[in-house]
Amino acid sequence: MALPLKHVSSTALRNPSVISQRGAFYLNKVTLAGKVGRDPQIFNFPSGFSILKFPLATTSVYTNKDGEKATKTEWHQISITSPQLLEYANANITTGAHVWVSGSINSQKWTTPEGQTRYKTEVVVRNDLKIIAPGRPSSETPVEEAAVLPEEEHKQE
């Protein structure tokens, strides 16, 4: 149900993530707090555009059907495009850091030269990033922990 305009805050109206269309509002925003799975990587393009990416793990604790506590970890691909935030993240985030991010969800679909359909979903962070706790220097990352990383691409059979 779309809310009448008088029920939408002025902050939401100024937010570039909020889109108004014929009185209805749409919001693409996600906030995550979790643990960085590997040191960030920067990708530079010939146009001068750069993007920083890193995997972020979030873990939920729940009670399973047997009444025991269980955990489930979800991996999220984080992408940063803002030059200032990119430099800050690259200088301050390492494997194991606990971070808080807020951004929008971006999904992509493509076909490989072999004809396979691939999908990728990422969180694009434009200006909301906080380091909750620093990680350890990357040279100290145990092999066992570094080996458990998400796949960046998911293919559909």
Side-chain angles (χ1 to χ4, degrees):
M1 176 177 95
L3 294 175
L5 186 58
K6 65 181 180 179
H7 294 290
V8 178
S9 73
S10 60
T11 303
L13 293 174
R14 289 190 306 268
N15 185 333
S17 299
V18 176
I19 299 170
S20 172
Q21 191 174 40
R22 296 184 183 168
F25 289 88
Y26 304 94
L27 176 64
N28 179 359
K29 187 165 186 162
V30 62
T31 300
L32 301 168
K35 188 173 180 179
V36 175
R38 119 176 108 229
D39 287 348
Q41 295 178 293
I42 295 179
F43 300 91
N44 297 305
F45 298 92
S47 65
F49 179 76
S50 296
I51 190 166
L52 179 134
K53 294 185 176 202
F54 62 89
L56 184 70
T58 57
T59 302
S60 301
V61 179
Y62 64 95
T63 304
N64 66 18
K65 64 181 180 180
D66 298 326
E68 301 168 343
K69 285 196 176 184
T71 61
K72 180 179 180 187
T73 300
E74 293 283 341
W75 286 95
H76 314 274
Q77 180 66 39
I78 307 300
S79 296
I80 298 174
T81 57
S82 161
Q84 297 83 8
L85 193 58
L86 185 146
E87 288 180 27
Y88 172 78
N90 191 48
N92 295 289
I93 294 176
T94 58
T95 302
H98 288 261
V99 299
W100 178 93
V101 297
S102 184
S104 58
I105 296 173
N106 181 22
S107 298
Q108 298 174 12
K109 174 183 172 183
W110 70 96
T111 303
T112 66
E114 296 80 26
Q116 296 177 324
T117 302
R118 300 278 176 116
Y119 298 89
K120 177 173 73 170
T121 301
E122 61 188 358
V123 176
V124 179
V125 177
R126 290 186 174 77
N127 57 11
D128 293 331
L129 169 87
K130 292 178 180 53
I131 298 173
I132 299 167
R136 62 182 149 256
S138 57
S139 62
E140 295 179 19
T141 304
V143 175
E144 300 83 14
E145 187 174 329
V148 183
L149 293 175
E151 289 184 32
E152 290 189 27
E153 302 169 350
H154 305 283
K155 62 181 174 179
Q156 185 171 343
E157 304 283 334

